[in-house]
Amino acid sequence: MKSIADKREQEKRIVAQMIQLYCKKQHHRSDLCPDCREVLSYAIDRSNHCPFMESKTFCSNCKVHCYRPEMRTKIREIMRFSGPRMLLYHPVLAVSHMLLTVKERMHKT
C-alpha cells in the first residue's frame, strides 16, 4: 500500500503531465502558458491540502469538491482532452489510472 505522501506525489505528477500535454497540443507551446501554469499551481495546492488523500483515488471520485467553479471547469476541460491521449503519450500511467478506476467502481457496488 502506498503512503499518503506517495499518493500525493503521484497525483501531482499525473496532473502535471496531463496539463503539459493539453498546453502543448492546444496552445502549441513547449512550456506551460500562464493559464496552464495557474491551473497546475492550483491543482498542486489542492492536492497538498487534501484531507481525504488517504481514502480517495482521484479528485473526480471525491465527495467534496474543493476546486473553485472556474478552476473545476478548466481542469475538466484539460482532463477530457488529455485523458484519452495519455494512452499514446504516457501509456503506463493511463492503464494504471483505468485499473484503479475500475477497481474503485467494483468496490463501491
Side-chain angles (χ1 to χ4, degrees):
M1 183 124 190
K2 285 186 179 185
S3 73
I4 294 172
D6 289 341
K7 280 179 72 175
R8 202 176 299 273
E9 289 307 310
Q10 180 181 9
E11 182 174 288
K12 290 189 283 190
R13 271 194 312 274
I14 292 170
V15 167
Q17 288 178 338
M18 292 182 91
I19 293 171
Q20 288 168 347
L21 178 60
Y22 177 84
C23 195
K24 181 178 181 177
K25 298 295 182 184
Q26 294 294 96
H27 303 149
H28 310 288
R29 295 182 57 128
S30 58
D31 59 336
L32 290 181
C33 70
D35 284 345
C36 289
R37 202 173 309 120
E38 179 186 9
V39 173
L40 177 58
S41 176
Y42 187 82
I44 288 172
D45 184 60
R46 297 286 86 203
S47 182
N48 284 337
H49 294 94
C50 179
F52 305 106
M53 189 59 69
E54 185 175 355
S55 60
K56 74 169 188 163
T57 51
F58 308 107
C59 291
S60 60
N61 297 335
C62 193
K63 291 174 177 62
V64 177
H65 297 294
C66 63
Y67 277 51
R68 293 189 318 255
E70 68 274 8
M71 284 298 189
R72 197 164 173 210
T73 300
K74 286 181 183 180
I75 200 73
R76 270 194 188 133
E77 180 182 332
I78 290 167
M79 296 296 163
R80 279 193 188 114
F81 178 86
S82 296
R85 290 163 180 82
M86 289 291 283
L87 274 171
L88 295 172
Y89 295 94
H90 303 287
V92 174
L93 284 176
V95 170
S96 172
H97 179 80
M98 285 188 282
L99 290 174
L100 283 172
T101 301
V102 168
K103 183 179 172 184
E104 182 167 296
R105 285 187 184 150
M106 288 175 59
H107 183 56
K108 284 184 177 180
T109 58

